[in-house]
Amino acid sequence: MAVYFLAQSPSALQQLKVEHQNIRRGKQKDEYLNWEDYKKMEFTQNVINEALRCGNVVKFVHRKALKDVKFRDYLIPSGWKVLPVFSAAHLDPSLHASALEFHPWRWEKIQSQDQTCKRFTPFGGGSRCCPGSELGKLEVAIFLHHLVQSFRWRTEDDDQPIAFPYVEFQRGLPLHLEHCPIN
Ligand code: HEM
């Protein structure tokens, strides 16, 4: 999803490139990234959050009401299956301004997780929350570090993500890749 959205957002891609070039500067060509480098990837985290918000890789989770639950004017009877649909909150304009726009900069203003925990739940929540969330983000950050510094890419004009109900692309997201390493 990050690769797709970055192809549509040249300004985000440019800022991401600069962040990773700055991290690479001063390191040997094949030197591994370390924890200090990862902590510098602030804009990268914004891009990842925004790709998760817009992309909705996991659209909903399965829950069961263990007792009668009153929610506003509704009663959810004990035993009923409940499907919290994350994309409903992620794409709700009352919770995220210009919700349909890929805008990584929106995450710059977020100070703490408390501000987002109910309107941004790409990894679920509560005791079944995804245990791989930090690993997943780390892997994407390292992948992007190498991708943005060595490749240019574009997607097909008529390709777009669909939710059916899992996310996939109408044309399978073929990429036109060009290898163009910096230095
Ligand atoms: C972008 C990447 C990922 C996304 C969006 C994602 C999302 C989720 C979501 C929404 C859940 C359900 C949470 C709930 O029911 O409240 C989940 C569960 C889980 N995820 Fe992930 N996940 C990702 C990557 C990973 C990775 C990298 C691992 C392991 C290395 C992982 C391992 C698990 C496991 C074991 C569960 C089940 C937890 C449980 O039921 O107690 N996930 N994930």
Side-chain angles (χ1 to χ4, degrees), residues 22 75 124 131 133 152 175:
N22 288 340
L75 172 72
S133 59
R152 269 202 289 263
L175 298 175

Side-chain angles (χ1 to χ4, degrees), residues 75-182:
L75 172 72
I76 303 169
S78 173
W80 274 35
K81 181 93 183 252
V82 182
L83 293 188
V85 178
F86 300 155
S87 49
H90 291 172
L91 303 177
D92 181 340
S94 72
L95 301 175
H96 304 275
S98 307
L100 297 182
E101 262 176 48
F102 179 79
H103 188 70
W105 298 272
R106 75 176 72 238
W107 298 97
E108 285 172 354
K109 298 184 198 102
I110 311 286
Q111 302 295 326
S112 71
Q113 242 190 337
D114 290 354
Q115 286 176 281
T116 57
C117 63
K118 289 197 179 122
R119 52 197 169 105
F120 180 59
T121 54
F123 296 105
S127 55
R128 306 306 296 262
C129 192
C130 176
S133 59
E134 291 304 325
L135 175 64
K137 288 194 276 187
L138 176 79
E139 286 180 339
V140 174
I142 293 172
F143 169 73
L144 288 175
H145 176 77
H146 295 290
L147 181 77
V148 300
Q149 291 187 92
S150 301
F151 292 93
R152 269 202 289 263
W153 71 97
R154 65 179 175 82
T155 58
E156 300 273 325
D157 291 340
D158 56 349
D159 199 10
Q160 50 181 320
I162 46 172
F164 196 56
Y166 300 106
V167 71
E168 51 191 292
F169 283 80
Q170 269 175 337
R171 300 204 42 207
L173 191 62
L175 298 175
H176 297 263
L177 268 179
E178 198 185 330
H179 190 216
C180 49
I182 300 156

